[in-house]
Amino acid sequence: MAQFVSPLSIYFVWYPSDSERVSPVFDYCFSLLSRDINKPFSRSMNLPIYYRTSTHKGVPIDIEGKSQRNLVFVFISRDLVIDDSWSEYINRMSQVDKLTTIPIALDKSSFKHIAFNNQNFIRAFEFHQNYYNEQSFIAITHEIYRYALNDDFQSKGIGKDNALKLFLSHTKDGENGIILANALKAFIDNSSMRNFFDATDIAPGYRFDEEIVNSIRQSTLIAIHTDSYSSRYWCQREIISAKDNDRPILAVDSIEEFEDRRFPYATNIPGIHINLTGEPTHRDLLRILSATLLETVRYFYAKLLLKEYKTVELIDNTAEILSRPPEVSDIEKLLSVNEEKEIISKSKQLVYPEPPVYSEEINFLSKLGIECKTPLTLNFCLFSNKNFGISISDLTIEDGVKIGQTPAHLIQLSQDLARHLISRGAELTYGGDLRDNGFTEFIFNESLAYQTRAMTDKIQIHNYIAWPIYTADTEKLKDWKANYITIAKMIEVPPADDILDFIPNVKAFMLPSNAENLYVWSRNLTEMRKILAEKCNIRICAGGRLTGYKGIIPGILEEIILTAEKKRPLFLLGGFGGITASICEAIRNKFIPKELTKEWQIENNAGYKELLDLYEQRSPGAINYEKISESILNIEFNNGLTEEENLKLFSTPFNDEALYFVFKGIRNLSSQ
């Protein structure tokens, strides 16, 4: 079986002094191109997106280019141009074969950077300040399409006809449709948008012939939906042609009063609403073009990703793959008639991108013997007899900047893990607190969403809460239990017997405000983690703070050591930073990095020395960093993966690749 390689990753690189200008652009692009963590079942592309900058003197870590295609958007400014170390960093990066660097000019000084003498810049300094994020998004997303997803560009290179082609489909007798189509075409033809789009608007009287089909075959179709749109024959033909030729489609809804029938082939596509009370506004037109590019990139990236799943045999080679959920128009792709005039299926399986639609929507295909699945619902391996420990914890700001990841990266990983494991019948054992927007909440919401879709009432999450955390807010805890009672069992772990003399009232909350109180917290967290280690068959770890924790050692480190002592399968996802990455580094290099030493921990955690001294008084030898180091260097993973595969798992920042290795290891364990 071939190894999974992410088909595409995107990087943003900017100089520290430009953060105020660039960070909002990164956040805006990330919010659209990645999955919304608050809408885990939204139909989004979830492109791998990272950044490189620094919070101190010096340059960021290099971009290794681990995907099949790696696009790097470099924001160039005067400050970067005159910084020799950063200029050398950019020069070095621009010469790496695996990376495609695309310069973005923040000011006119940018053109003086020698790394991009013969390359066109995205001229961000010319963008209107009121629409800066939107115009930046359009320019960046167009380059993603052009360099990574446009087969014509891959074969022909840059040329005057390289812009994304749009086909404007509208009725010729509907006033709103004509107004919107004319405004869009004029906006593209008479502004900087002509660099990104080439719009075709068929004039009245043209026949629907091969010329129009050829135009649609190369375009993203924008269906301008007015009152009479669905009833017009030529509009119907244009929609059918786009679907027959496997093209992206966006519906722009501008219905004024009433539509007596929506053409069924014009559904199952994304849409936006434009409320026309005259000419469309500048923002309206940018919204349409942004949505068009977003759907175009999502459509072709989904195809790339599913093809890669086929390559590594997660999808059967005979399966039909689609870039949107299945519908009636796909029957022709799946069925044929043999010589005996019998209807037969060309393929028994159809795979489309996440998330899965409700089964009732595709029952008509099931009745034809065609199985419709997403990567999530493909039964790679059922885990109904397995209990998984999920150890995911957030990073410090410095750790996040170092690897170019936001808090959302770890949240998305936790959601993906929860979704895949729960859908396969696994139980999750988790030791989480009850912070708003914490990992516990996101994992719970993921389970709640899946339970609703799967129409099951099985409880699959056991959440352990150590004392005194569950005493902090009784009313809030009651709310949590009420909200999640259908999907999770809350288990309160009482204080350990040997610390009761430190606790004046077991029903009252205790702040970790001094060495004695920290000792109580750490002892209770250790006892809770021992229970978790006993309950879990398999543990998966990612992230984790190196400083600012409440235990005797970083929490994920303690859970890893306890799991290793039990000889349970252990998966370390080091590409998401934090303490897990440090442990992976130690194992890879057979050398303990400084952040895992007692001296570093004392220096970087206020009050930690006093806590260690108290441990030595109460339990001499309980905390021994030499033994901790020895445990780390001699971990036996027992996870079904080879040494080479574990090393790849240690470093991949891609959710898909990490999950691929985790599930491969579990399948190997099951076969053994």
Side-chain angles (χ1 to χ4, degrees):
M1 181 187 292
Q3 297 285 1
F4 178 90
V5 181
S6 178
L8 175 63
S9 59
I10 310 297
Y11 295 85
F12 287 51
V13 179
W14 67 87
Y15 194 73
S17 64
D18 297 320
S19 286
E20 191 173 331
R21 284 187 288 181
V22 182
S23 289
V25 174
F26 173 82
D27 292 340
Y28 185 79
C29 293
F30 185 89
S31 69
L32 293 173
L33 295 171
S34 188
R35 189 181 68 243
D36 186 343
I37 58 176
N38 295 304
K39 298 177 182 178
F41 275 92
S42 61
R43 194 163 300 284
S44 56
M45 71 188 83
N46 204 20
L47 259 177
I49 303 176
Y50 310 96
Y51 68 91
R52 291 289 186 272
T53 188
S54 60
T55 56
H56 52 79
K57 189 174 182 179
V59 299
I61 61 173
D62 288 342
I63 297 172
E64 296 180 18
K66 296 180 178 180
S67 293
Q68 295 174 30
R69 297 173 184 173
N70 305 274
L71 302 188
V72 184
F73 292 93
V74 184
F75 291 79
I76 310 290
S77 67
R78 177 204 62 192
D79 291 356
L80 189 153
V81 169
I82 63 176
D83 187 315
D84 291 341
S85 62
W86 265 82
S87 289
E88 174 56 31
Y89 174 72
I90 300 301
N91 286 337
R92 186 168 67 249
M93 184 166 52
S94 66
Q95 294 168 20
V96 177
D97 290 339
K98 293 181 179 179
L99 307 181
T100 298
T101 52
I102 301 162
I104 299 178
L106 295 175
D107 52 48
K108 292 183 179 180
S109 301
S110 307
F111 303 120
K112 299 182 184 298
H113 200 288
I114 60 172
F116 305 107
N117 278 340
N118 300 313
Q119 193 166 343
N120 288 328
F121 281 68
I122 294 174
R123 303 167 72 93
F125 64 88
E126 295 181 350
F127 295 160
H128 195 292
Q129 289 304 304
N130 291 344
Y131 312 109
Y132 192 81
N133 287 344
E134 292 88 345
Q135 289 186 268
S136 297
F137 174 78
I138 288 173
I140 287 167
T141 313
H142 181 265
E143 298 305 281
I144 293 173
Y145 165 73
R146 186 170 74 162
Y147 279 98
L149 304 171
N150 184 355
D151 289 336
D152 286 341
F153 173 75
Q154 297 300 320
S155 59
K156 299 176 184 177
I158 296 175
K160 65 179 182 179
D161 299 324
N162 200 236
L164 173 64
K165 294 178 173 57
L166 305 180
F167 187 95
L168 307 181
S169 175
H170 63 94
T171 58
K172 312 308 176 199
D173 56 355
E175 184 178 353
N176 271 4
I178 294 173
I179 289 173
L180 196 48
N182 288 340
L184 257 179
K185 190 151 191 345
F187 182 63
I188 291 168
D189 291 343
N190 300 311
S191 73
S192 63
M193 292 298 110
R194 68 182 181 276
N195 297 322
F196 312 123
F197 301 102
D198 178 16
T200 298
D201 178 28
I202 303 302
Y206 271 57
R207 291 179 55 81
F208 190 89
D209 56 16
E210 191 61 28
E211 181 181 349
I212 296 178
V213 173
N214 283 337
S215 182
I216 292 174
R217 192 176 286 139
Q218 304 172 58
S219 304
T220 292
L221 187 138
I222 299 178
I224 301 174
H225 216 113
T226 50
D227 297 38
S228 59
Y229 182 83
S230 285
S231 64
R232 295 297 185 261
Y233 175 72
W234 298 120
C235 295
Q236 292 187 8
R237 287 288 303 275
E238 287 162 3
I239 290 286
I240 292 172
S241 179
K243 290 198 170 180
D244 284 347
N245 287 285
D246 199 19
R247 301 305 300 178
I249 306 172
L250 175 76
V252 178
D253 189 347
S254 189
I255 292 176
E256 296 176 79
E257 295 182 6
F258 176 71
E259 182 181 40
D260 61 358
R261 175 181 178 267
R262 175 142 299 190
F263 179 49
Y265 281 65
T267 58
N268 208 28
I269 55 178
I272 63 172
H273 179 73
I274 300 296
N275 187 21
L276 280 183
T277 55
E279 288 291 323
T281 67
H282 194 87
R283 189 171 295 280
D284 285 336
L285 299 175
L286 286 175
R287 283 179 59 221
I288 293 171
L289 296 177
S290 293
T292 301
L293 262 170
L294 188 63
E295 173 58 10
T296 302
V297 171
R298 186 209 64 78
Y299 194 86
F300 291 115
Y301 175 69
K303 189 175 294 187
L304 273 185
L305 189 59
L306 294 180
K307 283 181 178 178
E308 180 61 17
Y309 284 159
K310 266 193 174 185
T311 300
V312 299
E313 300 176 19
L314 294 180
I315 296 175
D316 188 270
N317 194 48
T318 62
E320 183 78 20
I321 60 174
L322 299 177
S323 289
R324 60 170 71 93
E327 58 180 305
V328 173
S329 66
D330 295 314
I331 289 180
E332 187 177 352
K333 301 174 186 175
L334 300 168
L335 301 180
S336 63
V337 179
N338 63 17
E339 294 180 356
E340 287 74 33
K341 305 300 182 183
E342 298 172 324
I343 297 176
I344 58 172
S345 298
K346 300 176 186 176
S347 176
K348 294 294 184 183
Q349 189 177 78
L350 187 154
V351 183
Y352 61 97
E354 305 291 355
V357 298
Y358 292 110
S359 58
E360 289 82 358
E361 184 178 336
I362 49 177
N363 272 346
F364 71 98
L365 288 170
S366 301
K367 291 175 181 178
L368 296 171
I370 298 169
E371 185 182 47
C372 297
K373 297 289 183 179
T374 68
L376 172 65
T377 56
L378 283 167
N379 288 320
F380 305 153
C381 188
L382 287 175
F383 306 144
S384 52
N385 61 340
K386 296 286 192 300
N387 189 310
F388 286 78
I390 304 296
S391 298
I392 296 180
S393 182
D394 54 10
L395 311 178
T396 62
I397 294 174
E398 292 76 14
D399 279 343
V401 171
K402 179 180 177 181
I403 60 173
Q405 295 187 24
T406 68
H409 284 85
L410 270 174
I411 290 170
Q412 289 174 346
L413 175 65
S414 68
Q415 289 175 324
D416 284 347
L417 275 171
R419 182 184 307 142
H420 279 267
L421 294 173
I422 288 170
S423 69
R424 285 157 173 75
E427 288 188 356
L428 305 187
T429 296
Y430 187 72
D433 59 21
L434 306 181
R435 288 175 299 153
D436 291 331
N437 296 318
F439 289 97
T440 310
E441 182 177 358
F442 283 106
I443 289 174
F444 279 21
N445 287 336
E446 192 68 37
S447 179
L448 197 61
Y450 175 77
Q451 189 183 68
T452 301
R453 285 179 168 268
M455 293 178 286
T456 177
D457 57 3
K458 182 181 177 182
I459 291 178
Q460 292 176 254
I461 297 180
H462 294 81
N463 189 63
Y464 287 78
I465 312 169
W467 191 94
I469 296 171
Y470 58 79
T471 67
D473 188 345
T474 304
E475 293 304 312
K476 182 177 179 181
L477 185 60
K478 288 178 180 178
D479 288 341
W480 268 71
K481 286 183 176 180
N483 289 337
Y484 299 112
I485 194 170
T486 61
I487 55 98
K489 185 176 181 181
M490 304 280 195
I491 303 158
E492 298 174 356
V493 181
D497 292 338
D498 64 323
I499 55 169
L500 291 175
D501 56 322
F502 280 106
I503 302 175
N505 183 357
V506 295
K507 294 183 179 180
F509 182 69
M510 173 185 285
L511 285 169
S513 54
N514 55 46
E516 289 78 12
N517 290 8
L518 274 171
Y519 178 73
V520 171
W521 273 68
S522 64
R523 280 290 297 116
N524 287 330
L525 288 169
T526 294
E527 291 305 306
M528 181 192 73
R529 288 166 183 149
K530 287 179 179 178
I531 295 172
L532 299 181
E534 188 65 41
K535 295 283 185 183
C536 299
N537 307 117
I538 298 167
R539 182 161 294 280
I540 304 169
C541 305
R545 284 178 167 268
L546 287 159
T547 60
Y549 48 86
K550 300 299 187 292
I552 186 57
I553 56 176
I556 289 182
L557 172 58
E558 190 168 27
E559 291 174 355
I560 288 171
I561 290 173
L562 290 170
T563 300
E565 287 176 354
K566 296 286 184 183
K567 305 293 184 184
R568 303 281 167 77
L570 178 63
F571 295 91
L572 301 185
L573 282 59
F576 298 86
I579 190 72
T580 310
S582 296
I583 295 168
C584 291
E585 180 188 346
I587 297 168
R588 185 190 302 111
N589 298 330
K590 303 189 185 307
F591 180 80
I592 297 296
K594 62 181 181 180
E595 61 267 23
L596 296 181
T597 63
K598 177 180 176 180
E599 293 72 23
W600 190 92
Q601 289 293 323
I602 289 174
E603 183 179 345
N604 290 274
N605 286 287
Y608 189 59
K609 184 179 185 306
E610 291 76 13
L611 177 60
L612 290 177
D613 290 342
L614 188 52
Y615 259 88
E616 192 60 30
Q617 294 172 23
R618 303 273 298 192
S619 306
I623 303 302
N624 186 322
Y625 266 83
E626 288 184 7
K627 287 186 177 179
I628 291 171
S629 298
E630 185 179 347
S631 297
I632 292 171
L633 296 177
N634 293 289
I635 287 176
E636 295 180 13
F637 295 102
N638 303 311
N639 62 10
L641 296 178
T642 65
E643 180 179 356
E644 180 185 0
E645 288 167 340
N646 270 305
L647 289 174
K648 289 183 178 178
L649 184 61
F650 286 177
S651 61
T652 179
F654 306 120
N655 289 11
D656 291 300
E657 187 173 20
L659 294 178
Y660 164 76
F661 281 121
V662 170
F663 294 143
K664 180 178 181 179
I666 297 168
R667 286 196 306 272
N668 290 341
L669 290 174
S670 299
S671 65
Q672 293 168 11

